[in-house]
Amino acid sequence: MDTKGIEAAALSIRSLSMDAIQKANSGHPGLPLGAAEVAAVLYGEVMKHNPADSKWVDRDRFVLSAGHGSMLLYSILHLSGYKVTMDDIKNFRQVGSKCPGHPEVGVTDGVEATSGPLGQGIALSVGMAMAETMLAARFNTDRHTIVDHYTYALVGEGCLEEGVSSEASSLAGNLKLGKLIVFYDENKISIDGNTDVTFTDDIEKRYLSYGWQVLRGSMYNIGEINDLVKIAKGETQKPTLIILKSVIGKGSPKAGTADVHGAPLGVDAIKEAKRNLGLPEDKDFYVVPECTAYFESKKAEFQKMQDDWNAEFEAWKKENPELAEKWNAYWNGLPTGDAEIPSYKAGDKAATRDASGKSLNYMCDRCEWLVGGSADLQGPNKTKVKNDDGIYSASNRKGRTIEYGIREFAMSQVQSGINLHGGLRAFGATFLVFADYLRPSLRVAALSKIPNIYVLSHDSIYVGEDGPTHQPIETIASIRAIPNVQFLRPGDAEESHIAWEMAMDSKDHPVCMAFTRQAVPVYEKADKNWKDTLKSHGSYVVLEGAASPDITVLATGSEVSMALEAAKLVKGKKIRVVSVMDKGLFEKDEAFVKETLGGAKRVVVAEAGIKMGWEAYAKGEDLFTLNDFGTSGPALKVAEHFGFTAEKLAELLSK
């Protein structure tokens, strides 16, 4: 190990970080100054990676869960040879920069995940580690190993305080993810001061209880860090937490205090820090020459890692042509088999959650790279995958069903990690009302353009006896409010299958599908090309009524059949009923909206949720919605209690 080269890299990380943050007059210098050594050791000596090809599939992954320390990551990416230029570093935190305030996947070469909201990074790294085991079990052979890499993460106190880290770490221990190695930058400081005020957990005991191996060392002993990683790799049945004692803002006059966490040091303090660290005071964005020489000498080694893998892969492919064909399907989202599409006829009655279950199994039969599960609601969510692969576990890495336990937030972020890793597509499921538990992860997935699939059953007051805590009212509107999230609420079993097709087609955004607990009828469709119309416009005309209707009803989910029933009860009015499965897609084409409304003098909206978002189409009582929490009782009695019935809708339409 070239100790001098790594020391020079750590010093250069500190130099670039201080100056970039000062130039931007914004940023978090504490972590880059305090934890530079671990990044230098990882990217210089430990990780299997090739900066010349940041997408090499068998690379080690690194997630900076403490994303506020982004200059640590940008600096080491630049120094080690990724496509992060000095100009990018100097443009830190500026509009259009490749070095945004917190790391964003797809923006910066070498950044594996969008991080910033604390704790989410460690959960995402769990998903990446799970994906590695799944692919290894499917594709490695006795003669050739083509999937064999580690997932690393760097966390701070804030990450470990957030609840999602507990959820994900508990899951990782249960699954015995031996190739997950997490470094804890233990500096005992957060924004408001010393963490003793709020955070006195015994982290070692906590992680031991999760089933992890826990190791301790100093952030500033390079040889020790390297040795600790070797010990971590020797433990194949447990993930490892390496606690590294550090000093936040090391070298600066504010070292060891909260003041250095989240604000530029200032010109004078930077000069003092450079003097303390042995850096030239009069040179900005200085890279130690030994660092440049070190990483220049590593280029051939990095390339050889990938060349060796390429040779192994080619030999494997030659010996295993059928597996190679499957590998291509996994990584490119191609079908791996055939299946019979679920079929229904008008008049059939089924809960859309049941129809979803059939469509899910159809997709799993066609695409064996589709994996996932629910947050301890497999039965109610109808997400049991009926195949021979079984449940994913430490003893069955080929399992396609993931038992997440009651951990919605971790489930969502693990799903993001699996999808970001590549080679697999993951879904997660819970009740719609509990989407609030995973909402922070859904937002980051949308920002990251990750095509997560969410199965959200029990979508309205028709949940019934479980009462208002389980009856979503504002949830639909709140999910629709997140940019780049597609929200689908199908009205019958046939639409439910199209919803699944749309979800599977997504490449750059999460898709949330809301399904009913109660049975709803399959209805006749006036639009004979309704499937294509639904896919392209998120809606279609179910009941024509007339070329120029008196009233057009925009309905979603179970309220489509309610509207159809109400229309039959109304005499003397021409009523059109439109199923708006995807409100966002419906609204993208103004001409289509105008055509669909059909020039109706009156538009009525029917949805079992709050009116928010529908005011552009209807006013006052024509918003046939629910604007209060539900209540406990049998589903139909609850609906009668709120006047949310076909009869009441018919009364409104008759006015």
Side-chain angles (χ1 to χ4, degrees), residues 104-142:
E104 295 180 36
V105 66
V107 173
T108 314
D109 188 48
V111 169
E112 299 284 2
T114 299
S115 59
L118 295 178
Q120 292 198 39
I122 187 172
L124 191 143
S125 69
V126 171
M128 289 183 171
M130 289 169 61
E132 192 273 345
T133 66
M134 290 177 169
L135 292 169
R138 287 162 172 77
F139 292 105
N140 290 343
T141 64
D142 291 339

Side-chain angles (χ1 to χ4, degrees), residues 350-369:
T352 56
R353 64 168 175 164
D354 291 325
S356 168
K358 292 180 179 179
S359 294
L360 166 61
N361 274 278
Y362 164 81
M363 295 301 175
C364 286
D365 287 343
R366 276 180 52 80
C367 309
E368 64 175 53
W369 36 262

Side-chain angles (χ1 to χ4, degrees), residues 197-404:
V197 176
T198 59
F199 187 53
T200 53
D201 296 17
D202 187 323
I203 297 301
E204 181 173 354
K205 287 182 179 178
R206 178 173 142 189
Y207 271 79
L208 287 171
S209 75
Y210 292 149
W212 288 51
Q213 173 180 230
V214 180
L215 306 173
R216 284 186 174 274
S218 168
M219 183 68 75
Y220 310 117
N221 187 328
I222 289 170
E224 185 177 40
I225 294 173
N226 198 46
D227 290 341
L228 289 171
V229 172
K230 291 177 181 177
I231 296 171
K233 288 184 174 182
E235 173 54 78
T236 60
Q237 296 300 304
K238 296 178 181 180
T240 297
L241 180 73
I242 300 177
I243 302 174
L244 297 176
K245 185 66 178 175
S246 69
V247 177
I248 191 170
K250 180 177 170 62
S252 78
K254 300 176 182 178
T257 72
D259 292 340
V260 78
H261 169 84
L265 297 179
V267 175
D268 292 339
I270 284 181
K271 285 184 178 180
E272 185 176 342
K274 288 181 177 180
R275 189 161 55 246
N276 294 339
L277 294 167
L279 289 164
E281 297 176 38
D282 58 344
K283 293 182 179 179
D284 294 338
F285 297 96
Y286 178 75
V287 176
V288 181
E290 288 82 358
C291 171
T292 303
Y294 170 68
F295 279 113
E296 186 65 31
S297 71
K298 299 290 291 189
K299 280 185 180 179
E301 182 182 328
F302 292 149
Q303 187 61 50
K304 187 176 184 302
M305 291 181 191
Q306 186 169 0
D307 289 344
D308 289 348
W309 181 85
N310 288 339
E312 180 81 358
F313 182 78
E314 289 302 317
W316 168 85
K317 188 164 66 171
K318 187 175 181 180
E319 289 184 17
N320 304 278
E322 292 183 1
L323 267 183
E325 186 177 347
K326 190 175 289 187
W327 174 274
N328 182 60
Y330 270 58
W331 285 93
N332 291 288
L334 304 174
T336 56
D338 295 317
E340 185 176 345
I341 297 176
S343 61
Y344 308 91
K345 63 181 185 299
D348 289 347
K349 291 194 75 172
T352 56
R353 64 168 175 164
D354 291 325
S356 168
K358 292 180 179 179
S359 294
L360 166 61
N361 274 278
Y362 164 81
M363 295 301 175
C364 286
D365 287 343
R366 276 180 52 80
C367 309
E368 64 175 53
W369 36 262
L370 180 62
V371 302
S374 78
D376 199 52
L377 291 168
Q378 184 183 102
N381 291 150
K382 304 299 179 183
T383 50
K384 181 175 177 58
V385 178
K386 299 170 184 175
N387 57 56
D388 295 329
D389 297 318
I391 295 171
Y392 171 78
S393 67
S395 59
N396 181 27
R397 298 303 195 192
K398 288 186 178 180
R400 295 169 66 187
T401 297
I402 302 171
E403 293 280 10
Y404 283 107

